[in-house]
Amino acid sequence: MTKAINPSRRRLLLLAGAALGSGAIGGLAHFAHADSDSDDNDEHFEDSANTSFTLASTGLVARVVVVGGGMAGATAAKYLRLWGGSGLQVTLVEPNARYTSNIMSNLVLNGSRSIASLGYTYDNLAAKYGVTVKAARLTAIDSAARSLTLSDGSRLAYDRLILAPGVEFSDAYGLTQADYASRTPHAWQAGPQTALLASQLAAMQDGTFVMTIPKAPYRCPPGPYERACLVADYLKTYRGAGSRVVVLDENATIQAERETFTHAFGVTHAGVIGYEAGVTGIAIDPLTRRVSYVDAVGTPRTIDAQAVSPIPPHRASGSGAGGWLAAAGLNNSADGRWCVVDVLSYQFTAVAGIHVIGDAASCGMPKAGHVANQEAKICADAIIRLLAGQQPDPAPVANSACYSPITATTASWLTAVYQYDSAGRKMVLAANGGNPVGATAIEAASVSNGNFRQMGTWFNTLMGDSFG
């Protein structure tokens, strides 16, 4: 006999996926709000509504291994235990003791935040929810034996495996990984490169800051445009009228919050930001910081920059030549960069028992931290149903939401609702997306100080839901 799944779990998922409205804080509104986003402690969030909780009583007994402790992996591990009960042995494999949030990391560049203020540990997952945290890297998957080989030489058996490896960055534009780390930081994974880019920005005099944007998909669609705005705001405030920002976008147009960023580039930061779409042939000399490219009409151009932040193309971590994901044959998208999954459960389409969530998955939704949190809950719910002999929810709903700082004190926001499309077997924008005009993402009506304040609350509640 199979056990019924508690319907409150779907309600929680829907609450967590509620869309933003009229500038009010959106997804995760069910959880407690935090007041400050400026302290440097590890725990910058108040405990979520799970402060007083009891693990569900499901009677399920199984071993679930989660690989990767980012937004997707941490959320999945937490909710597997919370919803699956004490009989569900959940192990989180993550080599690092701390996770540094990519969300809000652009604010490190103008001094609004510190790297330390973006750090989170796995202490709550272990102490409050009983997740076993294994400090190691995954080196190989034996899907037939349902076991993993880890970097410490140990093997780990599983009944269900969740992969949340995030992304890795390709060598591009004539640059190497060493160049990204020491000379031309992309800083698209928060940490040492973020600090390096901030120091390079602080050292600029009157000069040019050049950044590049790869063809979509990439992590956090509004993020590069947000970075351009914050750098421009910083330069015109602290570095004189001669400073400028040049954005070289390989896409044909702005990829998110088009109205907001068009106004920001052309009005708020007019004369400081130069935005060029549809560029090709980008080449960067890491020593001289000379940037060459071909503009949208085919004209070769060069820029001598004082600082360069090239955001290179992404792919699922481990999907490159010799990577563990590639060795297991899980990078099955047409270009070999991503993992194609069944979004009812996020199970890999060719190998049973393996699920992929977060930035590594190809699922129809943007690659972003809030979305990773949503995917993790859908996946956790589906795994618990499957272990109970049931089928996954046939109509999952998810929300994408984020805030974008435009200056040191103002921000915009973007939200969209996604639902399952049975014909295409993927997540698509909901029929009205919360907007009576049609299926679309919704931008804030204006950029404001109030949005900037709410951004801190949104961030703290999101991180509290994943790590608290």
Side-chain angles (χ1 to χ4, degrees), residues 25-26 28-36 45-47 457-458 460-461:
I25 200 69
L28 305 170
H30 182 65
F31 299 104
H33 288 179
D35 295 325
S36 171
F45 45 79
E46 295 180 6
D47 285 341
T457 304
W458 164 78
N460 289 335
T461 50

Side-chain angles (χ1 to χ4, degrees), residues 290-316:
R290 171 167 285 189
V291 181
S292 304
Y293 66 99
V294 178
D295 68 18
V297 297
T299 304
R301 299 192 179 277
T302 60
I303 302 173
D304 290 314
Q306 280 198 325
V308 183
S309 180
I311 303 172
H314 309 2
R315 62 191 177 209

Side-chain angles (χ1 to χ4, degrees), residues 174-201:
L175 303 173
T176 65
Q177 300 300 315
D179 292 325
Y180 299 143
S182 61
R183 297 186 180 94
T184 54
H186 57 70
W188 218 238
Q189 184 169 17
Q193 287 193 30
T194 313
L196 174 60
L197 186 58
S199 68
Q200 291 180 349
L201 185 62

Side-chain angles (χ1 to χ4, degrees), residues 138 159 202 206 232 269 305 310 315 373 406 408 468:
L138 174 61
D159 297 303
D206 283 353
H269 300 301
R315 62 191 177 209
N373 172 284
I406 304 301

Side-chain angles (χ1 to χ4, degrees), residues 364 415-419 427-433 438-442:
T415 190
V417 175
Y418 289 83
Q419 63 187 17
M427 299 295 283
V428 298
L429 283 167
N432 65 1
T440 184
I442 308 170

Side-chain angles (χ1 to χ4, degrees), residues 168-260:
E168 62 187 23
F169 303 92
S170 306
D171 290 349
Y173 317 129
L175 303 173
T176 65
Q177 300 300 315
D179 292 325
Y180 299 143
S182 61
R183 297 186 180 94
T184 54
H186 57 70
W188 218 238
Q189 184 169 17
Q193 287 193 30
T194 313
L196 174 60
L197 186 58
S199 68
Q200 291 180 349
L201 185 62
M204 283 185 63
Q205 302 303 318
D206 283 353
T208 303
F209 177 94
V210 176
M211 59 177 293
T212 70
I213 305 174
K215 285 188 176 181
Y218 58 82
R219 170 185 283 166
C220 187
Y225 312 103
E226 165 191 304
R227 174 173 291 181
C229 289
L230 288 175
V231 171
D233 187 59
Y234 176 85
L235 291 178
K236 69 186 184 184
T237 302
Y238 298 106
R239 290 296 177 265
S243 298
R244 66 190 185 114
V245 175
V246 176
V247 182
L248 302 179
D249 193 344
E250 294 188 76
N251 299 285
T253 188
I254 293 172
Q255 295 298 292
E257 297 182 71
R258 191 171 304 169
E259 292 183 13
T260 295

